Amino acid sequence: MNLKIGKVNINQNSCTIIAEAGVNHNCSLLMAEKLIKEAKKGGADIIKFQTYKAEKLVTKKTPRFWKWDKEIKKRGSQYDSYSRLDKFGVEQYYKLVQMCKKYKIEFMSTPFDNEAVDMLYNLGMKGFKIASCDITNFPFLEVVAKRKMPILLSTGASNISEINDAVNIIKRFNNRISIMHCTLCYPTKPKDANLRALIDIKKNFKNNILGLSDHTLGVNIASSSILYGVRVIEKHFTYNKKLLKSADHPISIDTKELKLLRKNVAALITAVGFEEK
């Protein structure tokens, strides 16, 4: 099965690379434009952001689930971290779409609530990414699936049964699904990447494109996933790992590493061959 997100074809003969900018724009359109420009320069096919509002995502006293020594409120909550980076609204996302057109790179953003789904759809986004945290959020999956667009389904912290339940809900409306292996550690140690889980996913979902949403440092693990059948790779991306405000900057790859990832996957796609001696 092939997937088409805008002008990007996801298929077995190449590897689509998604630069996950997330909220590394730090609520600045100037920084967002630089991310878009650098993602294109580095060879990404898609640049993806995240669309959420803190009050819809966590309670105000939710403990932080990451440790980052650059937080302004050292003893703050996850709400404090999220609320610093959720300031973009429809006007800013419209401008992001236009910037992506300017630099000729496909725009995507992960929605985390129904209103975000509607906004992104109305702005002309051509495919959806479902975050791992929503794989068992069945009402939300149905809202996204009803848009009948390609879906990249991240599977961190889930098992085959949970993935199957999610896929069955989506398939009631749309069968264009890439199932993306993911480990929810930031960063993920190589010993926890478990790339062989891709064999299990492929065995259970033979007709779906395999993907990897990778949180390891660098590009070696992500590149190696090609040998397990992965054909769409998502990596957190920044143009400067020393930037503050977003905890994702230091665990992201930069433009130089993105270029290396592009080079590696191109070579490995060729090297895989035809399964015949």
Side-chain angles (χ1 to χ4, degrees), residues 18-258:
I18 301 172
E20 161 66 310
V23 287
N24 280 348
H25 50 63
N26 287 11
C27 300
S28 162
L29 282 172
L30 287 175
M31 291 179 69
E33 183 168 15
K34 188 164 184 179
L35 283 166
I36 293 167
K37 184 178 179 180
E38 290 296 308
K40 178 65 177 181
K41 180 180 176 182
D45 302 289
I46 298 169
I47 184 166
K48 190 179 73 62
F49 298 91
Q50 294 177 8
T51 305
Y52 63 78
K53 293 297 180 183
E55 67 267 16
K56 295 181 180 180
L57 198 55
V58 290
T59 64
K60 291 189 176 181
K61 294 184 179 180
T62 300
R64 285 196 178 107
F65 59 82
W66 63 55
K67 292 182 180 180
W68 186 47
D69 60 3
K70 306 299 183 183
E71 296 281 5
I72 290 179
K73 291 186 178 181
K74 301 298 183 183
R75 297 185 179 181
S77 66
Q78 193 65 43
Y79 177 87
D80 295 322
S81 297
Y82 280 150
S83 61
R84 296 179 67 205
L85 295 161
D86 69 350
K87 308 308 178 190
F88 277 7
V90 64
E91 179 181 348
Q92 288 77 22
Y93 279 100
Y94 172 79
K95 290 179 179 178
L96 292 182
V97 171
Q98 298 310 307
M99 289 175 191
C100 287
K101 290 179 179 178
K102 174 183 175 181
Y103 291 103
K104 297 181 180 179
I105 187 170
E106 196 67 35
F107 166 85
M108 286 185 71
S109 187
T110 301
F112 286 85
D113 56 68
N114 295 358
E115 291 76 15
V117 172
D118 292 341
M119 181 188 74
L120 294 168
Y121 179 80
N122 291 333
L123 286 172
M125 194 170 74
K126 302 301 183 185
F128 282 102
K129 165 72 188 300
I130 301 293
S132 294
C133 61
D134 283 318
I135 195 166
T136 56
N137 185 350
F138 299 153
F140 182 69
L141 291 179
E142 187 168 317
V143 167
V144 176
K146 283 181 176 178
R147 294 300 186 177
K148 297 184 179 179
M149 293 202 295
I151 289 175
L152 309 178
L153 180 66
S154 206
T155 62
S158 62
N159 57 38
I160 292 295
S161 177
E162 290 168 328
I163 299 170
N164 191 60
D165 288 342
V167 168
N168 285 338
I169 288 172
I170 295 169
K171 283 172 65 176
R172 285 160 47 194
F173 307 95
N174 169 24
N175 195 34
R176 293 177 292 165
I177 309 166
S178 171
I179 300 176
M180 304 185 72
H181 174 49
C182 180
T183 302
L184 288 181
C185 302
Y186 299 85
T188 299
K189 296 177 181 177
K191 69 181 181 67
D192 295 324
N194 193 22
L195 290 183
R196 291 181 70 184
L198 287 157
I199 298 171
D200 197 18
I201 294 172
K202 183 64 175 177
K203 180 178 68 177
N204 285 277
F205 304 96
K206 295 180 176 65
N207 296 320
N208 297 98
I209 294 280
L210 282 182
L212 177 71
S213 180
D214 182 50
H215 300 127
T216 62
L217 298 178
V219 301
N220 289 346
I221 303 300
S223 300
S224 300
S225 71
I226 293 296
L227 302 176
Y228 288 91
V230 162
R231 293 298 179 264
V232 52
I233 293 173
E234 177 186 52
K235 287 286 291 183
H236 281 277
F237 176 73
T238 184
Y239 60 83
N240 183 351
K241 298 184 186 185
K242 294 182 181 180
L243 289 170
L244 302 179
K245 200 168 184 177
S246 168
D248 285 340
H249 287 297
I251 68 167
S252 299
I253 60 172
D254 57 21
T255 310
K256 183 178 179 181
E257 289 171 305
L258 181 56

